[in-house]
């Protein structure tokens, strides 16, 4: 049946086109699509997803085309929270197309313009979601206003993790690149004798989630931001992916059957990665062994973060269970 349909499709292609050309005037050429935020376009998420594609899905199938769209959803943070794992897991979904590398558009490359940004995106068919992830957006003061200017309907995802563990992981990553940096303990304090925490150190500052979230809530309602637990992304990846798929309006295709737990690395891996039939784990830069940190310093950090964590729980309506 399929072969018969294909034969009829190709047989008709030339003759039907000729009949159309002789029998009716050519349709007017469509105007090029406007970028969200340009005059004349409403840029809500629903309207972006409902906008017509460059061609029908069947024509896109035959000519390999699609349309490059600005992202309807962005993973905005946080660094060392599990954003790479979340993106790789999401890319298994047939209705998610994502940029592999971090574009850093809203923090480092904004002057290049939306057309440059859109050109980085993969082509998508009607009904597919375009995504990107750049964890530094969450702590970039200008990012909320800039993303809102692109589209007020953009859905935002934040992967958060115990801020103390996150800070140690952040330090571990830096240590792997610069082995001669000072110790974690010495960088943590402005004055260790008084116990004053150095909040200017980015490894500490990123984990004050409530402070950063306040900036985002000036531009986006809380219902438009999904907070993913970095801990649960490890212990129950399918459960967290279920929440993410629901948030994005996607069918729950990614389930338990897609994961297996890698005991050596200490986190879940995909049984089959996007476009592959082989198992896939994140690279060697993920799951590094953390250095031993003075437990007194760890406790002081936990005491420091506690009030910020409590406020974050109140703001999000979620208790992440960080001690």
């Amino acid at each position: 049946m399929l072969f018969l349909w294909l034969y009829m499709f190709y047989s008709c292609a030339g003759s039907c086109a000729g009949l159309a050309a002789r029998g009716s005037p050519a349709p007017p050429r469509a105007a090029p699509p406007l970028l969200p935020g340009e005059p004349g376009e409403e840029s809500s998420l629903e309207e972006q997803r409902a906008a017509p594609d460059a061609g029908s899905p069947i024509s896109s199938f035959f000519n390999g085309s699609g349309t490059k769209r600005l992202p309807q959803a962005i993973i905005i943070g946080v660094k060392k929270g599990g954003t790479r794992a979340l993106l790789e897991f999401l890319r298994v979904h047939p209705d998610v197309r994502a940029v592999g590398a971090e574009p850093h558009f809203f923090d480092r490359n904004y002057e290049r313009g939306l057309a440059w940004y859109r050109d980085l995106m993969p082509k998508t068919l009607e009904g597919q979601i375009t995504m990107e992830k750049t964890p530094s957006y969450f702590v970039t003061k200008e990012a909320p206003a800039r993303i809102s200017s692109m589209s007020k309907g953009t859905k935002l995802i934040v992967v958060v993790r115990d801020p103390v563990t996150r800070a140690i992981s952040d330090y571990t990553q830096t240590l792997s690149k610069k082995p001669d940096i000072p110790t974690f303990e010495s960088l943590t304090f402005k004055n260790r004798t008084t116990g004053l925490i150095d909040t200017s150190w980015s490894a500490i500052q990123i984990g004050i989630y409530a402070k950063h979230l306040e900036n985002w809530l000036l531009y986006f309602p809380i219902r438009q931001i999904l907070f993913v637990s970095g801990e649960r992304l490890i212990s129950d990846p399918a459960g967290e992916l279920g929440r993410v798929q629901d948030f994005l309006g996607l069918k729950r295709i990614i389930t338990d059957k897609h994961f297996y737990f890698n005991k050596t690395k200490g986190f879940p891996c995909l049984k089959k990665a996007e476009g592959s039939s082989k198992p896939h784990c994140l690279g060697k830069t993920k799951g590094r062994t953390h250095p031993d940190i003075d437990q007194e310093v760890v406790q002081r950090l936990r005491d420091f973060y506690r009030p910020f964590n409590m406020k974050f729980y109140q703001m999000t309506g979620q208790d992440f269970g960080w001690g």
Side-chain angles (χ1 to χ4, degrees), residues 60-298:
S60 296
F61 172 81
F62 282 114
N63 63 27
S65 71
T67 302
K68 290 192 175 188
R69 297 180 176 87
L70 290 166
Q72 299 104 324
I74 303 176
I75 300 173
I76 59 172
V78 297
K79 181 183 179 185
K80 306 309 296 179
T83 59
R84 172 55 60 185
L86 177 60
L87 186 71
E88 292 302 309
F89 295 163
L90 275 174
R91 290 174 78 178
V92 172
H93 200 292
D95 289 333
V96 171
R97 295 299 312 280
V99 184
E102 296 172 4
H104 283 281
F105 176 65
F106 296 103
D107 56 353
R108 301 178 190 171
N109 295 302
Y110 195 62
E111 73 286 348
R112 294 177 179 262
L114 283 172
W116 176 87
Y117 182 49
R118 179 164 62 180
D119 195 52
L120 297 178
M121 301 299 135
K123 289 183 178 181
T124 55
L125 301 178
E126 184 64 30
Q128 291 182 319
I129 291 178
T130 304
M131 292 188 67
E132 71 116 317
K133 77 107 176 169
T134 304
S136 53
Y137 290 163
F138 189 63
V139 298
T140 300
K141 190 173 182 180
E142 299 81 10
R146 289 172 174 176
I147 295 176
S148 177
S149 178
M150 175 187 74
S151 172
K152 295 183 185 298
T154 306
K155 291 191 175 184
L156 308 172
I157 300 175
V158 187
V159 188
V160 289
R161 181 184 184 188
D162 181 331
V164 177
T165 309
R166 197 221 66 82
I168 297 171
S169 181
D170 198 336
Y171 173 80
T172 303
Q173 182 181 53
T174 305
L175 185 65
S176 70
K177 299 174 182 177
K178 301 176 181 177
D180 58 343
I181 61 171
T183 65
F184 180 87
E185 290 83 352
S186 63
L187 290 169
T188 297
F189 299 101
K190 282 186 177 179
N191 187 320
R192 187 164 182 178
T193 304
T194 62
L196 184 63
I197 303 292
D198 187 357
T199 56
S200 67
W201 184 28
S202 64
I204 300 295
Q205 199 255 352
I206 289 172
I208 309 175
Y209 304 138
K211 174 186 173 184
H212 305 301
L213 180 56
E214 285 177 345
N215 191 30
W216 287 89
L217 294 181
L218 295 175
Y219 298 90
F220 293 93
I222 194 74
R223 67 177 180 276
Q224 216 164 301
I225 309 174
L226 179 70
F227 300 91
V228 174
S229 165
E231 287 83 13
R232 287 197 293 271
L233 198 57
I234 294 173
S235 64
D236 181 20
E240 285 300 277
L241 264 293
R243 294 179 59 241
V244 176
Q245 289 171 97
D246 290 348
F247 175 71
L248 295 174
L250 297 169
K251 184 179 178 181
R252 283 199 177 196
I253 289 177
I254 307 170
T255 62
D256 281 323
K257 67 182 181 182
H258 288 89
F259 301 99
Y260 74 95
F261 192 82
N262 186 305
K263 293 181 179 179
T264 303
K265 285 184 171 289
F267 51 75
C269 300
L270 289 168
K271 290 181 180 177
K272 292 182 181 180
E274 179 198 26
S276 172
S277 60
K278 298 179 180 179
H280 172 67
C281 282
L282 298 180
K284 62 182 180 180
T285 62
K286 307 299 179 183
R288 294 185 183 96
T289 302
H290 291 177
D292 290 329
I293 306 297
D294 186 325
Q295 286 306 299
E296 180 191 351
V297 174
V298 171

